[in-house]
Amino acid sequence: MPHDIVKDFGYLTLGTRLRRLGEMVQANTQLTMQQHGIDLPAAHYPFLAAIDCNGPLTVGELADVIGISQPGATRTIGRLAEAGLLDLSVSDGDQRRKQVSLTKAGQDLVDYSTREVWPGVEAAVRNLCTDLDGSFLDQLASIEDGLKLRPLIERMKEDKETK
C-alpha cells in the first residue's frame, strides 16, 4: 500500500489533513443522518443550528457565525430554502438585506436532531477522541485511523449498548 503522503508531510500539509479529517467526520455523520431518514448534507446542519440558537440572522451574519464566505452561505441557504427548511424575508431596516429564519419544517428537523441525532454523533466523536495522546499530528493520525477502523455509526451503537 502506498504511503499516506499527506500524513507523512506533517505540518506542511496540515490544511489538507484537517480538510480530510473534516470530510471523514462529515461522511460518517451523513451515514448517521441517513439512518435517521434525514436527506440533508451534514454540512448544512450548522446553518439550522445557528438560526435555532441565535434566532433569525441576515445572510452575512449567518456566514460569519458559520465561518464561511458569503457566496458559500448564500448557496447553502438557497438549498435549505428550496428544501422548505429556511425562510428568506427582506430585513426591516434594509431592503437589500435578507433575513433568514427557520420554517416550521426546519424547526421540527432541529428539534428531532437535537433529541435523536446530535447527541449520538457528539458522543461518538468524543469516544473517538477519548484516548488521544501525543503531539497534535499524532492526535490527528489517531482520529483518522480510528475513523477508518470504527466509523462513528459503530461507536454510536456501542455507546447505546453500554447504557
Side-chain angles (χ1 to χ4, degrees):
M1 179 155 185
H3 285 284
D4 182 344
I5 197 72
V6 172
K7 193 181 282 186
D8 290 348
F9 275 28
Y11 288 105
L12 178 64
T13 55
L14 181 61
T16 301
R17 193 128 176 229
L18 291 172
R19 185 177 60 244
R20 177 173 75 180
L21 181 58
E23 289 172 356
M24 290 171 72
V25 172
Q26 279 191 335
N28 275 258
T29 301
Q30 192 70 49
L31 291 173
T32 301
M33 292 167 58
Q34 288 170 349
Q35 285 198 338
H36 283 87
I38 300 169
D39 186 30
L40 175 76
H44 291 184
Y45 256 147
F47 287 81
L48 303 175
I51 296 168
D52 184 56
C53 290
N54 295 295
L57 298 168
T58 65
V59 173
E61 290 169 338
L62 197 48
D64 287 344
V65 168
I66 303 295
I68 65 169
S69 69
Q70 192 158 337
T74 299
R75 281 190 298 276
T76 300
I77 291 165
R79 290 182 189 123
L80 289 166
E82 286 174 15
L85 301 172
L86 293 181
D87 184 49
L88 296 167
S89 60
V90 177
S91 180
D92 290 338
D94 186 344
Q95 296 292 321
R96 297 168 296 172
R97 294 177 60 173
K98 300 254 193 244
Q99 193 81 11
V100 185
S101 59
L102 292 171
T103 63
K104 173 148 178 24
Q107 187 64 59
D108 290 347
L109 178 59
V110 169
D111 293 345
Y112 174 78
S113 298
T114 300
R115 283 188 323 271
E116 303 295 331
V117 182
W118 296 348
V121 171
E122 193 274 336
V125 174
R126 186 179 336 106
N127 170 281
L128 177 65
C129 297
T130 296
D131 295 326
L132 295 179
D133 194 23
S135 73
F136 183 61
L137 290 178
D138 290 341
Q139 292 177 2
L140 282 177
S142 294
I143 293 170
E144 290 168 337
D145 294 344
L147 279 174
K148 290 175 187 171
L149 290 174
R150 284 187 16 246
L152 292 183
I153 196 76
E154 289 181 23
R155 293 170 188 275
M156 289 173 61
K157 288 176 186 172
E158 290 170 9
D159 189 51
K160 284 183 180 178
E161 291 170 359
T162 59
K163 286 186 178 181

